[in-house]
């Protein structure tokens, strides 16, 4: 431990401040706040708070700052690296009650929302005004916008709309001492000084607590088309991606890949997923999606692209979605990968970025190292269009001595040696906090420490995450 423990007087203060209905101390109430959704990380928080406004958050943090109490900001708790649960008995600060969706500004094409707004709820609100959210995740039914920003989530729309941070025009954040930093003007151009909100995006709650966001939501596409393509080799898959960029251009909205091991698991273990090519065996599968304003034009482009790549031998088979239901079915296969892995066993997950030349080599290398281990599945899928690989290894039970010792540091060394990133979109959290030097220089880490010291000099915000104590880094 680094920070003081919670006392009954502290709890009583929060009950007076927020009301008893916003203060949780019972073991059953605390269980979902203490455990991540994978069951991999479990904390010992004795207190969870659910403030209802930015003002509430400010008062809570001021008190915690004055009393040296550690705080873990928490959204939907859908993270994969242990960043949103306590390590010890830190206070959990849930943003779930900050769930207001403000009016849509049609001129700026901007929604102003609370940090606790669930992504799927924002998508519904955006659809009602013919707009679209520039972020789509498999966890959209649970993940919250504040958490998405704190992790700088990527997702399947990155190829079309770029990083989430590019769509954030305004932000309200509460600093460690309770100071409210409000930069909510939804301006697309503002070069007056440092862009402080960009420091908060991707900071994983270590610099401040995000409470409100102004996010640009572009016009919704009039037409969406998709195809699943069977590809013989990863070399062909790389060529297919280049061909898609050249042929589909501005309407290309997603290019996802799945390997045969993942597709086999998903189609055998998930009742709602269907094999797109029953009875056939292929090395890789690509999900290509277009979104545009003219349905007939986009369909013609996609059909022409498919004919072209099949003639070149890059694709062994392909299926074009005939309607929106089939588009959804294609996405069920891709988004069902994590669920299929979970059904296969306990999962070690790695979210990395790599140049495409070495992208799938990591999966093959790990598969070779794990060969001969019973009931172990090594699977690769991801957002190949932006170089983001999801490497997943399912095992019968978590056994770090048996499995993790094989995986680490091998995975991180491979990523470092091939000039990749150990965290593409999931963040560092607790899992990768000590691994930052595989991707960042000593100078960069030192500068991050200085920034942390400026915003949170007492170290009360999400301690032990992202930048852990020096003595535990490797």
């Amino acid at each position: 431990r680094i920070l003081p423990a919670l006392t009954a007087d502290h709890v009583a203060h929060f009950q007076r401040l927020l009301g008893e209905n916003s203060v949780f101390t019972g073991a059953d109430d605390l269980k979902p706040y203490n455990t991540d959704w994978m069951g991999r990380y479990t904390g010992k928080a004795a207190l969870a708070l659910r403030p209802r406004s930015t003002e509430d958050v400010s008062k809570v943090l001021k008190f915690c700052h004055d009393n040296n109490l550690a705080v873990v900001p928490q959204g939907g708790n859908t993270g994969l690296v242990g960043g949103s649960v306590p390590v010890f008995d830190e206070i959990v600060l849930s943003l779930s009650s900050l769930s207001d969706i403000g009016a849509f500004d049609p001129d700026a094409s901007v929604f102003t929302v609370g940090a606790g707004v669930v992504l799927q709820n924002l998508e519904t609100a955006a659809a009602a005004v013919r707009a679209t959210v520039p972020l789509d995740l498999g966890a959209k039914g649970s993940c919250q916008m504040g958490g998405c920003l704190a992790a700088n989530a990527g997702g399947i729309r990155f190829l079309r709309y770029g990083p989430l941070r590019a769509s954030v025009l305004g932000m309200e954040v509460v600093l460690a001492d309770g100071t409210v930093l409000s930069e909510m003007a939804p301006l697309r151009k503002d070069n007056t000084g440092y862009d402080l909100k960009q420091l908060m995006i991707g900071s994983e709650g270590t610099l401040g607590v995000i409470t409100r966001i102004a996010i640009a939501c572009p016009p919704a596409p009039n037409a969406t088309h998709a195809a699943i393509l069977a590809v013989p080799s990863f070399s062909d898959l790389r060529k297919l991606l280049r061909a898609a960029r050249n042929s589909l251009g501005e309407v290309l909205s997603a290019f996802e890949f799945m390997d045969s091991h993942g597709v086999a698991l998903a189609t055998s273990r998930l009742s709602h997923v269907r094999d797109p090519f029953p009875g056939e065996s292929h090395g890789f599968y690509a999900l290509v999606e277009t979104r545009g304003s003219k349905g007939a034009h986009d369909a013609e482009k996609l059909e022409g692209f498919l004919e072209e790549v099949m003639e070149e031998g890059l694709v062994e088979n392909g299926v074009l979605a005939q309607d929106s239901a089939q588009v959804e079915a294609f996405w069920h296969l891709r988004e069902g990968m994590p669920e299929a892995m979970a059904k296969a066993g306990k999962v070690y997950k790695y979210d990395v970025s790599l140049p495409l030349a070495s992208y799938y080599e990591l999966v093959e290398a790990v598969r070779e190292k794990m060969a001969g281990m019973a009931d172990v599945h090594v699977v690769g899928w991801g957002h190949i269009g932006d170089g983001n690989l999801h490497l997943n290894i399912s095992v019968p039970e978590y056994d770090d001595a048996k499995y993790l010792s094989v995986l680490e540091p091998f995975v991180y060394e491979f990523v470092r040696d091939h000039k990749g990133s150990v965290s593409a979109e999931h963040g560092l959290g607790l899992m990768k906090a000590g691994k930052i030097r595989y991707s960042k220089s000593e100078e960069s880490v030192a500068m991050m420490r200085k920034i942390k010291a400026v915003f949170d000099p007492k170290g009360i915000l999400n301690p032990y995450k992202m930048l852990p104590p020096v003595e535990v880094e490797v």
Side-chain angles (χ1 to χ4, degrees):
R1 292 193 53 81
I2 296 176
L3 298 165
L6 189 71
T7 70
D9 288 342
H10 296 146
V11 174
H13 173 82
F14 290 123
Q15 288 173 331
R16 291 191 298 271
L17 180 66
L18 301 176
E20 292 189 4
N21 290 338
S22 296
V23 178
F24 303 91
T25 57
D28 290 341
D29 291 333
L30 289 169
K31 188 174 180 179
Y33 296 106
N34 268 320
T35 307
D36 76 314
W37 77 274
M38 292 191 304
R40 180 96 171 97
Y41 301 96
T42 301
K44 300 179 178 64
L47 176 66
L49 306 176
R50 288 186 64 169
R52 295 178 296 275
S53 66
T54 297
E55 183 182 7
D56 283 351
V57 174
S58 175
K59 291 177 180 178
V60 167
L61 288 185
K62 184 180 188 308
F63 182 83
C64 290
H65 183 266
D66 291 345
N67 291 273
N68 299 314
L69 297 175
V71 176
V72 176
Q74 188 177 98
N77 200 15
T78 58
L80 299 170
V81 291
S84 59
V85 293
V87 176
F88 298 109
D89 59 354
E90 304 91 279
I91 297 169
V92 175
L93 185 66
S94 170
L95 284 302
S96 295
S97 294
L98 278 67
S99 57
D100 60 301
I101 299 178
F104 180 67
D105 180 345
D107 294 323
S109 198
V110 167
F111 267 108
T112 299
V113 303
V117 169
V118 172
L119 173 56
Q120 193 165 45
N121 293 343
L122 180 56
E123 286 184 348
T124 300
V129 294
R130 296 193 57 75
T132 189
V133 182
L135 174 70
D136 196 357
L137 304 172
K140 60 187 174 185
S142 303
C143 66
Q144 298 173 10
M145 293 306 299
C148 290
L149 281 176
N152 192 30
I156 61 178
R157 300 281 176 246
F158 191 102
L159 189 63
R160 177 63 174 271
Y161 300 111
L164 181 58
R165 64 170 69 247
S167 298
V168 177
L169 304 184
M171 180 184 293
E172 189 170 77
V173 60
V174 182
L175 304 183
D177 63 358
T179 299
V180 177
L181 185 65
S182 186
E183 300 281 341
M184 286 298 294
L187 302 175
R188 293 182 183 272
K189 284 190 171 181
D190 181 6
N191 281 344
T192 49
Y194 301 119
D195 192 348
L196 298 178
K197 66 180 179 294
Q198 292 296 335
L199 273 177
M200 299 297 160
I201 299 171
S203 68
E204 302 183 45
T206 63
L207 300 181
V209 178
I210 298 168
T211 56
R212 281 202 306 156
I213 307 146
I215 183 168
C217 294
N222 293 327
T224 299
H225 297 86
I228 282 193
L229 310 178
V231 186
S233 69
F234 191 77
S235 174
D236 290 325
L237 189 65
R238 292 171 60 192
K239 295 175 184 176
L240 184 67
L241 173 59
R242 293 197 293 269
R245 285 174 168 154
N246 291 332
S247 297
L248 301 176
E250 77 287 352
V251 298
L252 180 63
S253 57
F255 192 106
E256 301 285 300
F257 104 99
M258 302 159 279
D259 67 16
S260 58
H261 299 265
V263 170
L265 276 178
T267 54
S268 64
R269 295 175 184 268
L270 302 179
S271 60
H272 65 286
V273 166
R274 297 288 178 267
D275 190 334
F277 309 108
E280 299 180 19
S281 178
H282 303 281
F284 298 89
Y285 298 76
L287 173 50
V288 182
E289 183 192 74
T290 65
R291 304 176 101 201
S293 59
K294 296 182 179 180
H297 171 264
D298 297 348
E300 183 179 347
K301 290 191 76 167
L302 188 56
E303 290 169 4
F305 163 71
L306 181 55
E307 290 176 4
E308 172 190 328
V309 294
M310 291 192 78
E311 286 177 3
E312 293 180 12
L314 300 179
V315 170
E316 295 174 321
N317 204 347
V319 179
L320 286 170
Q322 300 303 305
D323 52 34
S324 60
Q326 199 168 12
V327 172
E328 288 185 11
F330 289 173
W331 280 110
H332 285 159
L333 173 59
R334 165 60 185 85
E335 293 180 340
M337 292 287 156
E339 183 183 356
M341 293 298 292
K343 286 182 179 291
K346 302 299 184 182
V347 186
Y348 291 98
K349 293 178 174 286
Y350 295 92
D351 156 61
V352 301
S353 286
L354 282 165
L356 293 190
S358 53
Y359 185 93
Y360 197 72
E361 288 179 8
L362 175 58
V363 182
E364 294 172 325
V366 170
R367 192 171 288 141
E368 183 177 344
K369 290 182 74 66
M370 307 292 279
M373 293 186 176
D375 299 317
V376 171
H377 302 278
V378 179
V379 174
W381 72 80
H383 320 300
I384 187 173
D386 55 50
N388 182 185
L389 170 67
H390 295 308
L391 168 64
N392 283 239
I393 304 95
S394 76
V395 298
E397 294 292 338
Y398 286 126
D399 185 338
D400 290 355
K402 183 176 182 179
Y403 301 115
L404 194 65
S405 62
V406 177
L407 294 167
E408 298 180 15
F410 174 77
V411 170
Y412 299 123
E413 290 174 346
F414 184 99
V415 171
R416 176 199 62 201
D417 293 345
H418 291 83
K419 296 180 172 55
S421 168
V422 298
S423 179
E425 63 180 4
H426 293 167
L428 294 169
L430 180 63
M431 173 185 173
K432 300 181 184 178
K435 310 298 188 289
I436 190 170
R437 286 192 173 102
Y438 286 108
S439 294
K440 298 298 180 184
S441 68
E442 293 286 349
E443 293 79 8
S444 294
V445 173
M447 184 57 66
M448 291 180 198
R449 289 197 180 282
K450 291 178 181 179
I451 293 170
K452 169 72 171 174
V454 169
F455 283 92
D456 181 20
K458 292 188 175 183
I460 67 168
L461 290 179
N462 217 6
Y464 325 110
K465 316 288 177 56
M466 185 177 273
L467 294 173
V470 175
E471 62 269 22
V472 302
E473 289 193 4
V474 297

